[in-house]
Amino acid sequence: MRKKITVIGAGNVGATLAHRLADKQLGDIVLIDILEGVPQGKGLDLLESGPIEGYDLKVTGTNDYADTANSDLIVMTAGFPRKPGMSRDDLLKANYDVVKDAIGKAAKVSPNAILIVVTNPLDAMAQTAFRVSGFPRHRVMGMAGVLDTARYRTFIAEALNVSVQNVQGFVLGGHGDTMVPVPRYTTVAGIPVTELMPKEQLDEIIERTANGGAEIVKLLKTGSAFYAPSAAVVEMADAIFNDRKKILPCAAYLEGEYGIQGLFVGVPVKLGAKGIEQIIEIKLTPEEKAALDKSAASVKSLVDVIGV
Ligand code: APR
């Protein structure tokens, strides 16, 4: 049986994601949106790419959640993107209503699905999806760390003029200005990055990473990033469907790990067929722990506003 993937939101992130999922042949795809005609049109356009691209998946668009029933994976991308000058947190109330409505309907008809949330503010929206769906925590996660890490790796590779494939690392914490890239665990072909570049240069890269989303928003003026975010979701979907046991930074609901209780925060997790199969706890220095706590506190302040 082919996997069934529902992508909620047929906007920039959702449609680009559907495109990437089809190219990788990860499963049949249902695009759903409140706009009438848009998911149907984009779905049909993608379906008609199949003969050329060599995939024979079903790609459909709909406005009816009944068509999403029995999905294996639901990716939540619907909601408002940022405009220049806005922080992700400015989207809180509007996107809370969108996530509550959409996940409520989608989870009901696909009770065994794994949920990946992309809508911002990411950690608070993942927590909303977790509460509304009632799914166990291993089946609800937020996509942020893979994207933030991709940006971090890109900037390091560019600065050192090496292949991005050589750069490994991860970013902890919430998906916002308080995110925590960890230089101590960042390597280039196994060599600690701290051996390869001066601290000041790395600090600049960390700063640019934390503001990576805003940099794109400022350039686009009318929306936010979608190529790298959709690529990040595909890496997570691939790890799940192919049971890769891949360690990736994702927003996960913590129940005491890292000393954090009852909150979605970005941490390294092992992704496999069951979803989050393990939360990897790494030792942090007091400074790193303080930065993570600060980031978690900023997620908590949002979660408290919407009461999830
Ligand atoms: N149900 C379904 N779809 C909805 C709903 C809803 N209740 N409300 C809005 N949408 C749809 C819109 O009609 C639109 O097609 O969500 C889509 C959002 O698309 P874009 O405006 O292009 O936004 P996008 O760039 O895809 O970003 C979506 O992802 O990265 C985050 O911060 C970003 O929160 C934003 C989300």
Side-chain angles (χ1 to χ4, degrees):
M1 273 286 276
R2 255 192 328 240
K3 298 287 186 186
K4 179 170 176 178
I5 307 166
T6 286
V7 178
I8 308 177
N12 278 337
V13 177
T16 312
L17 172 62
H19 184 178
R20 292 192 189 282
L21 290 168
D23 280 348
K24 297 256 163 145
Q25 308 199 30
L26 280 174
D28 292 331
I29 300 156
V30 181
L31 262 176
I32 185 161
D33 201 288
I34 39 164
L35 296 177
E36 284 177 23
V38 171
Q40 290 87 344
K42 290 186 180 179
L44 182 59
D45 197 6
L46 280 168
L47 183 72
E48 291 167 353
S49 317
I52 307 163
E53 290 290 333
Y55 57 77
D56 50 15
L57 308 161
K58 280 190 226 153
V59 189
T60 48
T62 184
N63 308 113
D64 182 355
Y65 281 89
D67 297 326
T68 70
N70 301 316
S71 291
D72 299 286
L73 178 69
I74 298 169
V75 187
M76 177 62 197
T77 80
F80 301 94
R82 280 195 277 177
K83 301 218 169 69
M86 281 174 90
S87 77
R88 291 185 183 89
D89 301 355
D90 293 332
L91 303 169
L92 183 66
K93 289 216 172 96
N95 282 352
Y96 168 70
D97 290 337
V98 173
V99 174
K100 195 173 155 203
D101 176 63
I103 294 296
K105 291 171 180 159
K108 208 164 156 193
V109 293
S110 296
N112 300 314
I114 289 174
L115 275 176
I116 299 178
V117 177
V118 182
T119 307
N120 277 308
L122 191 274
D123 308 271
M125 293 304 103
Q127 187 130 337
T128 302
F130 174 60
R131 300 281 187 230
V132 171
S133 66
F135 287 1
R137 69 166 178 160
H138 66 273
R139 286 201 278 122
V140 185
M141 65 199 81
M143 184 296 294
V146 176
L147 168 63
D148 296 329
T149 304
R151 288 178 173 149
Y152 182 53
R153 290 171 61 196
T154 301
F155 302 148
I156 290 172
E158 205 171 49
L160 294 174
N161 192 25
V162 299
S163 164
V164 285
Q165 303 295 329
N166 280 149
V167 185
Q168 295 292 328
F170 59 85
V171 173
L172 290 172
H175 185 48
D177 311 341
T178 56
M179 70 180 74
V180 190
V182 194
R184 235 164 27 89
Y185 290 111
T186 305
T187 58
V188 179
I191 307 159
V193 71
T194 45
E195 302 280 319
L196 297 173
M197 76 170 64
K199 185 178 178 306
E200 300 70 44
Q201 192 179 12
L202 195 54
D203 285 345
E204 271 172 33
I205 287 176
I206 289 172
E207 175 78 14
R208 189 174 174 198
T209 302
N211 295 306
E215 184 177 358
I216 306 271
V217 171
K218 202 170 159 201
L219 290 166
L220 293 180
K221 295 183 187 73
T222 53
S224 51
F226 50 98
Y227 290 117
S230 56
V233 175
V234 170
E235 185 174 26
M236 292 166 68
D238 170 74
I240 292 167
F241 285 163
N242 292 303
D243 195 21
R244 292 198 195 278
K245 320 282 187 202
K246 202 170 193 179
I247 296 176
L248 294 170
C250 299
Y253 188 72
L254 301 184
E255 289 176 331
E257 296 88 355
Y258 291 94
I260 296 168
Q261 185 67 45
L263 200 63
F264 269 81
V265 179
V267 292
V269 304
K270 190 194 282 178
L271 282 191
K274 295 190 184 75
I276 296 180
E277 299 192 349
Q278 191 187 341
I279 291 173
I280 314 285
E281 279 194 88
I282 51 161
K283 276 201 191 123
L284 299 178
T285 63
E287 293 76 33
E288 289 159 354
K289 177 73 171 82
L292 181 62
D293 286 345
K294 186 175 166 215
S295 186
S298 102
V299 175
K300 177 87 170 62
S301 67
L302 298 186
V303 159
D304 285 347
V305 172
I306 49 176
V308 292

